[in-house]
Amino acid sequence: MFEDSLVESGGRLKTKSKYWAIGAFALNAGILITLILIPLLNPEALPKGAQSMLLVAPPPPPPPPPPPPPTPVHVVKIQSEMMNNQLTAPSKIPKQIKQITESAAPPPSAGGVAGMGGDPNGAAGGVMGGILGGIGTAAPVVKAAAPKRINVSGGVISGNILVKTTPQYPAIAKAARIQGTVVLQATISKAGTIEGLTVLSGPPMLQQAALDAVRSWRYKPYLLNGEPVEVGTTINVVFSLGG
């Protein structure tokens, strides 16, 4: 009997401890949830200090320092000692007077200014009188040297022909009815003779006859600045069978 009472009492104690733990857990959970929901549902209940800390924005950064003031510029007014193109007396005596030292003048040359002879005392041709005395003196004439060779067109040089030999028409070219113009490059010497002669263009059957005829041509010397010069020109030799 004693054992049964102990067993029954032990079973009742276990049953009560199980439900008690569940109830205590539910109670604690309800209290914790209530404490969390109350501030969210009723924000006016929070302390005003905490709300101000959460809602107030941080203060703006301080403004930059102002720029430094500009350095004053002192304008020094220089008063000229000239008035109406006349030198006036200074208004005050300067503390220091600067002395200007001039170097010694070079010794006078015996011939005056370079390139102008004469005596420096004023004679014509000297430093003083040379300028006035040389006004009436004619300047030396510089004569340019004539070039050795110039080029002249065939139309211009044809007016200087003295002897013009007529070319002989080749028989073979005449039989073949070949005609045309042979263009020659010639060099006329200072004496007017033909020195260099080459063919530039023309029918081949007529070229030799043109060379033989032009070699005997003579020209009046071509003058440039009064001096005869060699002339390079072109000569056209026309071969025509007529009607």
Side-chain angles (χ1 to χ4, degrees), residues 49-70:
Q51 291 182 357
S52 62
M53 292 179 62
L54 295 175
L55 300 177
V56 175

Side-chain angles (χ1 to χ4, degrees), residues 104-176:
S109 59
V113 179
M116 297 177 63
D119 107 48
N121 294 326
V127 176
M128 298 299 294
I131 299 175
L132 298 177
I135 294 176
T137 305
V141 178
V142 179
K143 188 175 182 180
K148 294 182 179 180
R149 186 175 184 272
I150 61 173
N151 293 324
V152 180
S153 64
V156 174
I157 200 65
S158 62
N160 289 9
I161 296 178
L162 298 177
V163 178
K164 184 176 181 181
T165 304
T166 303
Q168 296 293 327
Y169 214 114
I172 187 171
K174 185 180 293 187

